């Protein structure tokens, strides 16, 4: 089985769907998707006998109130990392069958991991300099083959039983999703393509307050 998704661009049928499943033209779809005021994201996938599906959904952002110690206990269980009560967690989530780019894959063997870690290692170093209490993890939806290492500093993990997806990442989104927590026991998820290092901006107290407390 190939590492990357293969399809015949000359014969495959392309479908463009609105949030409610209504058919759109390609032009209508991308106009909505690129309109930042609408706060929509998309999920692109290949469906047997249907073709290459592009579908919008209206969940660019999700907000959560956590039982924080229980949440940290879950992350400890999944990563085998010891976390104190004031730990901040930043999660990058990779969805199965994501068609984000030509290098998208469900098979993260050693080479594919090295390629992805070229950037994520830089993010990890940046986070360590910015806030020593911020922990960065990359989780892969169950069903993605992940040949990660057993080293103590490993931060790539499989989402066992899709515990995180079923709670925080229910909206499959092109190019994944990011989640950041704060010590007020709240969490913010941004769906769609976004750089992990830019998530730190939301931890600014004034910005965080506007996310959760704005009337």
């Amino acid at each position: 089985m190939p590492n990357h998704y293969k399809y015949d661009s000359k014969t495959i049928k392309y479908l463009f769907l609105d949030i409610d499943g209504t058919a759109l033209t390609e032009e209508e779809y991308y106009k909505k998707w690129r309109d930042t005021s609408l706060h929509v994201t998309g999920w692109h996938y290949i469906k047997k006998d249907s073709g290459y599906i592009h579908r919008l959904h209206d969940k660019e952002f999700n907000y959560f109130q956590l039982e924080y110690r229980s949440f940290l206990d879950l992350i400890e269980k999944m990563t085998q990392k010891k976390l104190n009560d004031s730990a901040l967690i930043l999660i990058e989530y990779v969805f199965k069958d994501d068609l984000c780019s030509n290098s998208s894959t469900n098979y993260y063997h050693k080479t594919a991991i090295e390629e992805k870690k070229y950037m994520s290692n830089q993010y990890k170093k940046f986070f360590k300099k910015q806030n020593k209490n911020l922990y960065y993890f990359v989780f892969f939806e169950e069903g993605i083959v992940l040949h990660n290492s057993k080293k103590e500093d490993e931060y790539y993990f499989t989402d066992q039983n899709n515990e995180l997806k079923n709670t925080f990442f229910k909206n499959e989104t092109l190019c994944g999703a990011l989640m950041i927590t704060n010590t007020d026991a709240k969490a913010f998820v941004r769906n769609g393509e976004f750089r992990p290092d830019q998530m730190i901006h939301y931890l600014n107290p004034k910005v965080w307050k506007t996310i959760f407390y704005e009337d």
Side-chain angles (χ1 to χ4, degrees), residues 82-191:
K82 188 66 178 174
L83 303 169
N84 61 52
D85 290 346
S86 60
L88 306 176
I89 307 297
L90 174 57
I91 293 173
E92 177 182 345
Y93 199 88
V94 180
F95 292 106
K96 183 175 178 288
D97 299 328
D98 192 351
L99 295 173
C100 181
S101 70
N102 289 333
S103 62
S104 297
T105 180
N106 285 334
Y107 304 92
Y108 279 87
H109 47 72
K110 182 179 179 181
T111 301
I113 288 176
E114 288 175 351
E115 290 175 355
K116 184 169 177 58
K117 278 189 174 180
Y118 176 78
M119 283 304 301
S120 59
N121 280 342
Q122 295 181 53
Y123 293 141
K124 189 179 181 185
K125 290 177 183 178
F126 170 76
F127 296 139
K128 188 174 183 180
K129 290 181 180 179
Q130 293 294 312
N131 189 331
K132 292 183 179 180
N133 213 33
L134 178 64
Y135 293 82
Y136 172 51
F137 302 111
V138 182
F139 280 95
F140 296 77
E141 182 180 350
E142 194 168 60
I144 295 176
V145 177
L146 180 65
H147 292 166
N148 59 341
S149 75
K150 303 301 181 184
K151 294 180 180 178
E152 186 176 346
D153 62 351
E154 180 59 85
Y155 61 102
Y156 276 30
F157 300 97
T158 295
D159 181 13
Q160 298 290 346
N161 300 314
N162 282 339
E163 286 194 69
L164 295 176
K165 183 184 180 186
N166 293 335
T167 304
F168 305 109
F169 302 103
K170 295 180 180 180
N171 303 111
E172 293 174 319
T173 314
L174 191 69
C175 300
L178 293 161
M179 173 181 175
I180 195 161
T181 71
N182 211 336
T183 51
D184 60 358
K186 290 181 171 61
F188 172 67
V189 172
R190 179 162 185 148
N191 297 300

